[in-house]
Amino acid sequence: MITMTEQDKAKLGWGGKRDNQHGRPKLPTELRRVNLNTKVAPETKDWFEEQSTPTGQILDMWVRKEIKKKS
């Protein structure tokens, strides 16, 4: 049989948020990012991996450029 000591009773409150912790604030919509999974040709993947700019940023730049062309 396992018995609890006074030291163990103090640990029962562990876990969860403390009263003064409210979590990470939400990002504004213009800074928010979502996950995007896609399949591309091997040479496209190789090209993206050669770039120093992250793939997501490159895609964002391309899309913004296309949107700007249309407006």
Side-chain angles (χ1 to χ4, degrees):
M1 181 174 162
I2 299 174
T3 58
M4 291 179 63
T5 64
E6 291 299 316
Q7 194 176 19
D8 292 333
K9 287 180 185 175
K11 295 179 184 178
L12 287 176
W14 285 17
K17 292 181 182 177
R18 294 190 179 110
D19 291 337
N20 64 345
Q21 293 178 330
H22 303 293
R24 182 176 292 177
K26 292 194 182 297
L27 283 172
T29 304
E30 65 274 4
L31 297 177
R32 195 171 304 144
R33 296 290 177 253
V34 295
N35 191 27
L36 173 70
N37 295 317
T38 185
K39 292 186 181 236
V40 295
E43 56 270 13
T44 304
K45 182 177 182 245
D46 293 341
W47 184 87
F48 274 117
E49 289 175 348
E50 291 171 1
Q51 306 307 308
S52 59
T53 306
T55 304
Q57 288 181 10
I58 294 171
L59 292 172
D60 283 343
M61 286 187 290
W62 287 350
V63 170
R64 286 186 189 123
K65 190 182 289 186
E66 287 299 316
I67 290 172
K68 200 172 190 177
K69 281 183 190 176
K70 290 181 180 182
S71 42

